[in-house]
């Protein structure tokens, strides 16, 4: 492989994802692509983004990880209790429902959500199975890849709770613990870490969530021959 390419937190911003892959001339014959989770919610094209990620994994050997928003959609369809519904709606779920239903639903009451989850469950269980079976992390010779981060309280980070892989923030980002290799992560917008949506580099951790769904940018981090290059596309 010539290049390792890392992208995170697409959040339904399919146009930006395709533009970024085009900008960097992604070629799966020579590139290894990592997609670090959060494919749905907030942006306009959650359904189409999941389909694109499935295609990249199945036809272009991309490695996709499970983010907390992906898990939340799975939970909505698998176990739709009040707490799951509330969290789904509070964190951009309306746009996901609009995408899957091809409908400009403006408000999600219980009846609408019932019919929406029923529709997704009947027509898109392949998406749900795909998302719920995504790994929580990946490790190669150069990096550890994860959606949110690693819990410094676990000497063997592989033993940390699943929740931490998808949700941890400051406890990981600002920890003094050192890891054997750089940890590349999304989940926390880099603008919240260093005041800029650009990729954040800090010793053994690299944050790449550019806040695309918030009107900022989608970042691509390219690792080749021991050096890093960053590419970004502006959010639409």
């Amino acid at each position: 492989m010539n290049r390792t390419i890392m992208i995170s937190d697409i959040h339904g911003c399919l146009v930006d994802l395709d533009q970024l892959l085009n900008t960097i001339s992604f070629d799966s014959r020579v590139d290894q692509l990592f997609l670090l989770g959060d494919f749905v919610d907030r942006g306009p094209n959650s359904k189409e983004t999941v389909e694109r990620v499935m295609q990249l994994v199945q036809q272009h050997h991309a490695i996709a990880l499970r983010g907390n928003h992906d898990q939340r959609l799975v939970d909505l369809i698998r176990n739709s209790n009040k707490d799951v519904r509330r969290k789904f709606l509070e964190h951009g779920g309306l746009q996901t429902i609009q995408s899957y239903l091809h409908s400009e639903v403006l408000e999600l009451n219980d009846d609408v959500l019932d019919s929406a989850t029923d529709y997704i469950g009947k027509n898109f269980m392949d998406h749900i199975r795909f998302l719920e079976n995504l790994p929580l992390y990946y490790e190669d010779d150069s990096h550890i890849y994860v959606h949110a981060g690693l819990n410094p309280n676990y000497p063997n980070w592989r033993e940390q709770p699943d929740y931490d892989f998808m949700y941890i923030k400051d406890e990981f980002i600002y920890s003094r613990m050192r890891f054997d290799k750089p940890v590349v992560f999304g989940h926390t917008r880099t603008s919240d870490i260093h005041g800029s949506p650009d990729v954040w580099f800090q010793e053994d951790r690299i944050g790449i969530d550019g806040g695309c769904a918030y009107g900022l940018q989608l970042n691509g981090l390219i690792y080749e021959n021991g050096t890093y290059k960053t590419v970004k596309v502006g959010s639409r």
Side-chain angles (χ1 to χ4, degrees):
M1 289 296 164
N2 287 346
R3 302 185 297 177
T4 299
I5 298 165
M6 297 152 267
I7 302 170
S8 190
D9 295 80
I10 300 161
H11 282 299
C13 296
L14 179 64
V15 171
D16 301 278
L17 173 63
D18 284 338
Q19 182 185 347
L20 181 57
L21 292 175
N22 185 56
T23 298
I24 63 180
S25 301
F26 169 64
D27 182 348
S28 63
R29 292 170 296 183
V30 292
D31 297 326
Q32 177 60 62
L33 176 63
F34 286 91
L35 302 166
L36 307 189
D38 277 5
F39 307 116
V40 301
D41 295 343
R42 296 201 174 102
N45 300 113
S46 287
K47 177 181 77 73
E48 294 81 2
T49 298
V50 173
E51 289 169 346
R52 183 79 167 104
V53 172
M54 291 171 73
Q55 178 206 28
L56 288 166
V57 169
Q58 293 161 3
Q59 299 176 24
H60 299 278
H61 63 78
I63 293 168
L65 304 181
R66 191 178 353 142
N68 58 303
H69 285 262
D70 312 313
Q71 183 65 54
R72 209 174 271 133
L73 176 59
V74 170
D75 292 343
L76 180 77
I77 305 305
R78 292 290 196 196
N79 176 31
S80 190
N81 62 43
K82 283 186 179 179
D83 192 45
V84 168
R85 287 182 169 212
R86 177 179 59 80
K87 290 179 179 176
F88 178 77
L89 294 177
E90 284 175 357
H91 298 280
L94 174 62
Q95 289 86 350
T96 296
I97 296 299
Q98 290 172 337
S99 174
Y100 273 93
L101 268 59
H102 288 291
S103 166
E104 286 302 311
V105 179
L106 298 179
E107 185 178 349
L108 285 180
N109 56 39
D110 281 339
D111 289 341
V112 174
L113 201 49
D114 281 342
S115 61
T117 54
D118 185 56
Y119 177 80
I120 294 171
K122 284 180 177 173
N123 295 279
F124 296 99
M125 276 312 293
D126 57 331
H127 288 203
I128 301 305
R129 283 190 292 267
F130 173 78
L131 294 173
E132 70 185 348
N133 286 307
L134 290 176
L136 294 169
Y137 68 88
Y138 189 89
E139 183 178 9
D140 62 17
D141 292 339
S142 305
H143 302 92
I144 299 164
Y145 310 87
V146 63
H147 176 63
L150 306 182
N151 188 329
N153 295 315
Y154 287 81
N156 180 357
W157 55 265
R158 296 168 193 82
E159 297 174 353
Q160 74 183 31
D162 289 359
Y163 183 90
D164 289 335
F165 286 109
M166 295 183 282
Y167 279 94
I168 199 167
K169 287 199 169 192
D170 292 359
E171 193 177 6
F172 158 68
I173 294 167
Y174 301 110
S175 163
R176 294 184 179 182
M177 181 174 177
R178 293 293 162 253
F179 302 98
D180 340 347
K181 56 188 76 166
V183 182
V184 185
F185 68 99
H187 186 56
T188 301
R189 284 174 291 168
T190 57
S191 57
D192 292 338
I193 304 175
H194 69 154
S196 164
D198 293 340
V199 173
W200 175 72
F201 293 91
Q202 178 71 37
E203 296 181 352
D204 58 354
R205 55 211 81 178
I206 305 171
I208 66 171
D209 176 7
C212 181
Y214 292 90
L216 298 174
Q217 66 197 39
L218 186 65
N219 290 323
L221 176 64
I222 301 171
Y223 180 74
E224 184 177 16
N225 298 324
T227 61
Y228 295 100
K229 176 184 176 183
T230 63
V231 180
K232 62 190 177 187
V233 296
S235 172
R236 291 162 188 264

